[in-house]
Amino acid sequence: MARHLLSCQHSSMPSQPPLSGLLPAALSEEPRLPPTALSEELSLLPDVLCPVSKQSSECLVEHSYALPSVLNETVAYGKSIKMKCPHCGLSLLKKNFKAHMMRSHSNRSLDVYLACHLQCVCVDETTGLFAVQRTGHGFSVPVHVQRKTWGRSHNVRCELEECQQYQLLAQRSGLGFSLCEHIRSLDYCRETVKEVFLQEAILMEMVVLKFFGEAKAAACIRRQKAAQMTHVPLCVRVDFGGSSSQICFSVFEPEIHSFCHLGRIFVTYNAQRNTWHCACAKPRISCPHKSIAKWHLFQTQRDLFQSNVPLSSGPHH
């Protein structure tokens, strides 16, 4: 207090209006504690250390009790405010809302060129089907894109619903040549995945090991014959190097469904969790596409099944 009074000796504090006149009405009307203790301390100080007048002391006391209320109000208004995303329902800080919208819900399309495009590979040369990365960073299940510009019927389309809506909107706006980044990335596709012919003897061995029953094995063989009749690959592996534990397979599907618009569907296997995923079935529920993908993986990489499935185990989904 002595150092503070010495520093205020030549200040113009008495000539300045009291801080309470600058505060809002709500703050100036707050009840203040009686400044008797501070007045008594000031009266006990020597005159050398306290050359200020009585009016200055009262103003100092008023300031000492008014400033904490201002600081408390600043802290109250400075608290972090959370808000909810209207698209995904995520609760996040207000300062991070703009970055979240740009990263997760932005409609900006990728500027595609030679050094910046989505990885893609041809999975079916007969119908012009390609597997393209869904996004340019991290792992995500690829998408099927068709670009067939030969023969009687020409088809250029992406299986994603948002890309189809984007193309329809562009056509209505007079931009008939506007395409999504998945289709535009096909200009830089230079690779065709090689098909591995799945052997029926391997499938029968899986039946003996009780991976699935004879009915599912017969369904796999029927799907294989249907693929051979239409001259398309039954199952091919697609690897873009996004994850070492996620393995993707593009499997033939003869019928058109809501989850399969282009005649093929992706099946993914998580090697760490030993789980299979297909868009046509719920988790832990078997389907023909999962059975075919298991058939392919058991023939090409059998070591993944040695520690997961013992000989005495029942059917696995």
Side-chain angles (χ1 to χ4, degrees):
M1 179 59 69
R3 290 194 299 268
H4 174 72
L5 293 176
L6 288 175
S7 64
C8 296
Q9 180 178 0
H10 302 289
S11 65
S12 58
M13 185 183 301
S15 61
Q16 294 179 354
L19 187 61
S20 59
L22 302 178
L23 295 177
L27 296 180
S28 60
E29 294 176 0
E30 289 183 354
R32 301 190 183 94
L33 297 176
T36 55
L38 185 57
S39 300
E40 293 176 359
E41 293 177 2
L42 291 175
S43 61
L44 295 176
L45 291 175
D47 295 336
V48 179
L49 298 179
C50 187
V52 295
S53 60
K54 182 179 180 181
Q55 183 180 0
S56 302
S57 302
E58 294 176 356
C59 184
L60 179 62
V61 172
E62 182 178 0
H63 279 254
S64 64
Y65 280 86
L67 286 177
S69 61
V70 177
L71 295 177
N72 293 337
E73 192 71 11
T74 305
V75 173
Y77 282 111
K79 289 182 179 179
S80 301
I81 301 176
K82 287 189 177 182
M83 58 188 309
K84 193 173 184 180
C85 177
H87 299 282
C88 61
L90 179 66
S91 179
L92 68 163
L93 297 178
K94 184 178 180 180
K95 63 179 182 180
N96 300 330
F97 180 72
K98 185 177 180 180
H100 170 73
M101 293 296 295
M102 294 295 294
R103 294 173 182 173
S104 303
H105 307 293
S106 176
N107 293 326
R108 296 181 304 170
S109 60
L110 178 68
D111 189 11
V112 178
Y113 53 95
L114 180 60
C116 181
H117 64 274
L118 299 174
Q119 298 186 45
C120 49
V121 62
C122 180
V123 296
D124 184 5
E125 294 181 331
T126 304
T127 58
L129 278 179
F130 298 81
V132 186
Q133 276 185 312
R134 186 182 298 262
T135 58
H137 56 276
F139 171 79
S140 58
V141 180
V143 297
H144 285 113
V145 179
Q146 185 178 26
R147 188 171 70 175
K148 184 177 181 295
T149 57
W150 61 88
R152 295 182 179 180
S153 60
H154 294 185
N155 291 314
V156 179
R157 51 183 176 169
C158 178
E159 70 174 355
L160 287 182
E161 181 66 24
E162 52 265 30
C163 294
Q164 296 175 11
Q165 295 296 330
Y166 165 78
Q167 194 165 357
L168 290 176
L169 180 61
Q171 291 177 359
R172 294 174 183 174
S173 304
L175 305 174
F177 299 98
S178 181
L179 303 173
C180 66
E181 60 268 21
H182 304 103
I183 298 178
R184 285 182 285 147
S185 297
L186 299 182
D187 294 337
Y188 307 98
C189 182
R190 300 291 184 269
E191 184 181 357
T192 301
V193 65
K194 296 182 180 180
E195 180 187 7
V196 177
F197 181 76
L198 302 183
Q199 304 176 9
E200 187 174 347
I202 301 295
L203 184 62
M204 294 298 103
E205 183 180 355
M206 296 180 68
V207 174
V208 174
L209 295 176
K210 299 185 182 303
F211 282 96
F212 35 74
E214 296 181 358
K216 294 181 180 179
C220 293
I221 295 176
R222 289 196 300 269
R223 293 290 182 105
Q224 186 182 44
K225 292 181 179 179
Q228 292 174 352
M229 291 180 61
T230 54
H231 305 285
V232 297
L234 174 65
C235 180
V236 293
R237 180 170 176 172
V238 178
D239 185 15
F240 293 130
S243 174
S244 58
S245 61
Q246 297 281 355
I247 304 176
C248 296
F249 298 92
S250 174
V251 182
F252 168 68
E253 170 55 49
E255 299 181 2
I256 302 299
H257 300 276
S258 59
F259 52 82
C260 179
H261 299 280
L262 300 180
R264 302 195 71 86
I265 189 172
F266 275 107
V267 177
T268 58
Y269 172 66
N270 191 324
Q272 293 182 349
R273 300 181 180 180
N274 189 28
T275 56
W276 294 84
H277 175 75
C278 181
C280 77
K282 297 180 180 180
R284 300 185 180 275
I285 301 299
S286 62
C287 69
H289 313 105
K290 292 181 182 179
S291 301
I292 295 174
K294 288 181 182 180
W295 182 11
H296 186 288
L297 189 61
F298 187 82
Q299 179 173 326
T300 58
Q301 203 170 350
R302 183 176 299 195
D303 57 320
L304 294 177
F305 295 86
Q306 292 179 358
S307 59
N308 295 333
V309 182
L311 294 180
S312 59
S313 63
H316 279 246
H317 302 299

